Amino acid sequence: MPLIQIEQDNPELIAQVRSQIEQMVERVRNLPNTVIAVVAEEFVRGYLSALLEQRLLSVEQWKQLMDETMTAAKS
């Protein structure tokens, strides 16, 4: 299997993650405190965890994005 180089905390990846967070907020803005809101938030958390597991995010960046997700979900 050929090796590929990856960049941890790639700015393009971070922008894509923030876009996912924004989309989650838009989906649930009119449906707060519903199952849909919980599922959307869990989707983003799972997405972030997968990126961390694959070492595409550093632990520090993961924590920051998780905090942003929590803040966005509460807004």
Side-chain angles (χ1 to χ4, degrees):
M1 181 183 316
L3 294 176
I4 60 170
Q5 288 188 333
I6 58 168
E7 179 183 355
Q8 193 173 57
D9 298 337
N10 181 308
E12 289 179 22
L13 176 65
I14 303 305
Q16 289 173 346
V17 170
R18 288 193 170 120
S19 175
Q20 286 292 325
I21 293 169
E22 290 173 20
Q23 288 177 29
M24 180 265 304
V25 169
E26 287 303 315
R27 284 185 199 113
V28 301
R29 187 171 304 278
N30 296 322
L31 303 166
N33 302 317
T34 65
V35 172
I36 293 171
V38 173
V39 170
E41 186 178 339
E42 289 300 316
F43 169 81
V44 174
R45 287 181 189 207
Y47 177 63
L48 293 174
S49 295
L51 294 173
L52 175 67
E53 186 175 308
Q54 295 301 312
R55 297 188 176 130
L56 294 171
L57 293 177
S58 65
V59 172
E60 295 79 21
Q61 186 66 58
W62 176 80
K63 288 179 182 177
Q64 179 180 343
L65 291 167
M66 287 295 277
D67 288 345
E68 289 178 25
T69 300
M70 296 291 290
T71 300
K74 293 178 183 176
S75 66

